[in-house]
């Protein structure tokens, strides 16, 4: 995440607080971040120096036509300042700052398969125990290379209970013994 994206996100959050639209903008930013993350073509278009700023603006206004005036203003500002490439980063930073200001902890769980409801409940309980926070949301990422188990990240804390990690530990132990 670039420092510029974080600065823009802080400014948008401050403006949204002053205009009592933080929740609306939060929804917008989740949508913007999700849309940009899901579309490689959109990310390439935003980064392209060949595509004119006016064309980028037209595309973004069309894609995000249902967003609030604050979000549309952010899009226009980024394009005017030739910073359209950081729109996804600004949206992600806003979501993180919003959650942080509300005391919501975000747990990033990497698993080999999608979490079921039972396992998600257990992970939530573990995160609440680790952080002491009652407000926790889970972001599940699937990475088959971990073979099994999970990797849990909350802020600076990380707990790696993946099979790939355990196999790596066993391999290092064998290497030391030889």
């Amino acid at each position: 995440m670039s420092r510029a994206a974080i600065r823009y996100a802080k400014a948008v959050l401050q403006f949204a607080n002053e205009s009592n639209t933080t929740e609306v903008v939060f929804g917008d930013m989740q949508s913007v971040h999700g849309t940009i993350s899901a579309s490689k073509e959109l990310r390439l278009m935003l980064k392209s120096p060949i595509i004119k700023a006016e064309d980028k603006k037209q595309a973004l206004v069309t894609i995000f036509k249902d967003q609030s005036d604050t979000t549309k203003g952010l899009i226009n500002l980024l394009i005017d300042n030739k910073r359209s490439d950081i729109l996804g980063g600004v949206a992600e930073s806003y979501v993180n700052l919003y959650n942080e200001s509300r005391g919501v902890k975000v747990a990033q769980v990497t698993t080999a398969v999608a979490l079921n409801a039972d396992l998600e409940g257990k992970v939530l309980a573990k995160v609440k125990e680790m952080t002491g926070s009652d407000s926790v949301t889970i972001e599940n990422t699937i990475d088959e290379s971990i073979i099994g188990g999970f990797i849990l990240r909350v802020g600076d804390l990380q707990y790696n209970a993946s099979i790939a990690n355990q196999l790596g530990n066993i391999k290092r132990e064998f290497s030391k013994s030889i």
Side-chain angles (χ1 to χ4, degrees), residues 91-104:
E92 183 179 3
S93 294
Y94 182 94
V95 169
N96 293 339
L97 291 168
Y98 177 88
N99 283 333
E100 194 177 295
S101 72
R102 299 287 188 266
V104 175

Side-chain angles (χ1 to χ4, degrees), residues 23 26 30 92-108 124 127-128 131-139 153-156:
E23 286 80 20
F26 175 68
Q30 286 181 310
E92 183 179 3
S93 294
Y94 182 94
V95 169
N96 293 339
L97 291 168
Y98 177 88
N99 283 333
E100 194 177 295
S101 72
R102 299 287 188 266
V104 175
K105 299 282 184 186
V106 178
Q108 296 165 327
L124 271 173
V127 172
K128 288 178 182 179
T131 63
S133 175
D134 287 335
S135 300
V136 178
T137 60
I138 291 183
E139 290 180 1
R153 250 184 228 105
V154 182
D156 294 342

Side-chain angles (χ1 to χ4, degrees), residues 1-10 83 86 89-90 93 97:
M1 195 90 46
S2 74
R3 291 194 335 236
I6 294 168
R7 284 195 303 267
Y8 276 103
K10 285 180 180 178
R83 299 306 305 262
I86 65 170
V90 173
S93 294
L97 291 168

Side-chain angles (χ1 to χ4, degrees), residues 32 35-37 39-51 55-57 59-60 63-64 75 78-79 82-89:
V32 168
T35 302
I36 292 173
S37 294
S39 175
K40 182 179 180 182
E41 293 82 12
L42 182 56
R43 288 192 306 275
L44 290 173
M45 187 267 302
L46 292 174
K47 291 179 181 174
S48 174
I50 298 168
I51 298 173
D55 293 338
K56 290 180 184 181
K57 183 184 257 184
L60 290 173
I63 293 168
F64 299 116
I75 291 168
L78 288 173
I79 290 174
K82 296 179 178 33
R83 299 306 305 262
S84 62
D85 59 317
I86 65 170
L87 178 59

Side-chain angles (χ1 to χ4, degrees), residues 102-117:
R102 299 287 188 266
V104 175
K105 299 282 184 186
V106 178
Q108 296 165 327
V109 182
T110 305
T111 54
V113 295
L115 287 176
N116 61 29

